[in-house]
Amino acid sequence: MTSRTSPPRFSWWTRHQRQLAPWLFLTPALLMFGIYVIAPIFESIAISFYDWDGLGEATYIGVANYVELYSDPDFRTALKNNLIWLVLFLLSVPIGLGLALLLNQTVAGIRFVKSMFFFPFVISQVVIGLVFTWFYNPTNGLFTQILAALGMPGVAVLSDEHLVTYGIIAAGLYPQIAYCMILYLTGLNNVRPDLIEAARLEGAKGWSMLWHVVLPQLRPATFIAVVVTIIGSLRSFDMVSIMTSGGPYGSSRVLAYYMYEQALSEYGYRMGYGTAIATVLFSIMLVYITFVLWRIYQQEKELA
């Protein structure tokens, strides 16, 4: 008579350990993210439906703040400036790629040259803003002297409401181009040399080599560069604050700075109206961030 041994019983934790272990490691970070990021977002959206100075009693006014935004010319100016930032800031991606291709050489002293191009990225945005403010000085700034050497009249860039936004964007591009250049230099170090040699044997060179062989391998670097650049353009604040404080006559305001003016500066203390502006800016960024996450998910599916 043979005795049958029953299979060993495993506890519930043993059966699900592989699925639960990652979530246990993620729980502290998710908890902190929920408390310090997600909860304040919903609280800010709720405040946007109130008339509140930040200290006294808040009065519920529904969507009145958003209705006011619709007819606010200063808000439209800030929104237009943000769109200009978004379009022109993307110039840092192709310029960074061009500099990376130029500096991806094996010649004497190239490391020093690379460090000089990288230098703007490690400088504080405040310092860069001050340097460009002196650069644009209409009296004795370097930009004025360059125009004079070319036989052109001086231009007070930061005092001209039609030029000021473009002058600030130029200052913002200075470190952003360096960042994109670093991303592409890293990507170029990972380009497969066997594909380059095979393309050369097939007669590819110049633009054909760049477009069909090099750029496809730089797709991850391009994706990161575009994502960081777009988010940076939408959250632009420090350059505007340092160089013009939104002037002249509010013509260089962006949404982040206009939100600060309305909610926290001595001219505002309208927390409800300021958070309404922040909600609009967040909504614009949320659309783009959702697209980015979807793209990452699709790429992970392709690699799986």
Side-chain angles (χ1 to χ4, degrees):
M1 187 173 180
T2 59
S3 61
R4 295 182 177 179
T5 59
S6 58
R9 290 190 175 184
F10 296 99
S11 65
W12 183 88
W13 165 251
T14 304
R15 295 195 306 271
H16 298 86
Q17 182 177 2
R18 187 178 295 273
Q19 292 81 13
L20 292 176
W23 291 105
L24 290 177
F25 284 106
L26 286 172
T27 296
L30 291 175
L31 184 62
M32 294 296 102
F33 185 77
I35 293 174
Y36 294 107
V37 178
I38 302 299
I41 288 174
F42 285 101
E43 185 176 0
S44 297
I45 295 173
I47 292 174
S48 69
F49 297 106
Y50 288 83
D51 180 17
W52 185 41
D53 62 1
L55 295 174
E57 184 178 355
T59 304
Y60 181 78
I61 57 175
V63 296
N65 285 324
Y66 294 96
V67 174
E68 184 179 348
L69 281 179
Y70 183 76
S71 59
D72 185 353
D74 293 330
F75 172 77
R76 290 198 295 269
T77 299
L79 181 60
K80 182 192 73 173
N81 287 338
N82 258 120
L83 294 177
I84 296 174
W85 270 84
L86 178 61
V87 173
L88 295 184
F89 223 53
L90 285 173
L91 291 174
S92 61
V93 178
I95 297 175
L97 172 61
L99 288 176
L101 293 171
L102 177 66
L103 297 176
N104 190 41
Q105 311 291 332
T106 54
V107 296
I110 194 64
R111 290 187 178 180
F112 175 76
V113 177
K114 287 180 181 179
S115 65
M116 289 297 98
F117 276 95
F118 174 67
F119 186 65
F121 181 69
V122 300
I123 302 177
S124 168
Q125 296 281 323
V126 175
V127 174
I128 292 176
L130 290 174
V131 168
F132 269 83
T133 301
W134 299 330
F135 176 75
Y136 290 134
N137 189 303
T139 303
N140 54 8
L142 181 59
F143 183 64
T144 302
Q145 296 180 22
I146 293 173
L147 292 179
L150 296 174
M152 302 172 62
V155 178
V157 175
L158 300 183
S159 300
D160 190 324
E161 57 184 312
H162 301 294
L163 298 176
V164 59
T165 296
Y166 302 100
I168 299 174
I169 293 174
L173 281 172
Y174 183 56
Q176 190 65 27
I177 289 172
Y179 178 74
C180 294
M181 180 199 71
I182 296 162
L183 289 176
Y184 279 120
L185 280 174
T186 305
L188 288 171
N189 289 331
N190 297 322
V191 170
R192 292 175 55 184
D194 56 331
L195 293 180
I196 300 294
E197 291 300 326
R200 284 175 179 168
L201 292 175
E202 294 293 331
K205 58 182 180 179
W207 286 107
S208 177
M209 174 76 76
L210 177 64
W211 185 260
H212 296 288
V213 181
V214 177
L215 284 182
Q217 298 183 69
L218 293 177
R219 188 176 300 172
T222 301
F223 179 74
I224 296 173
V226 171
V227 168
V228 173
T229 300
I230 290 180
I231 293 177
S233 68
L234 292 175
R235 55 188 290 269
S236 53
F237 173 86
D238 41 10
M239 288 293 184
V240 176
S241 178
I242 293 298
M243 297 180 70
T244 64
S245 298
Y249 314 113
S251 57
S252 63
R253 287 190 185 106
V254 289
L255 290 177
Y257 190 81
Y258 190 46
M259 170 197 68
Y260 158 76
E261 277 190 328
Q262 292 295 319
L264 299 172
S265 76
E266 63 272 19
Y267 306 108
Y269 293 117
R270 299 183 61 191
M271 294 294 295
Y273 195 63
T275 52
I277 300 171
T279 302
V280 173
L281 179 59
F282 171 73
S283 301
I284 297 172
M285 297 184 69
L286 183 63
V287 172
Y288 180 70
I289 291 172
T290 302
F291 168 74
V292 170
L293 293 177
W294 178 81
R295 285 282 298 168
I296 293 174
Y297 174 72
Q298 293 296 321
Q299 290 177 358
E300 293 293 333
K301 285 179 60 179
E302 292 175 2
L303 294 175

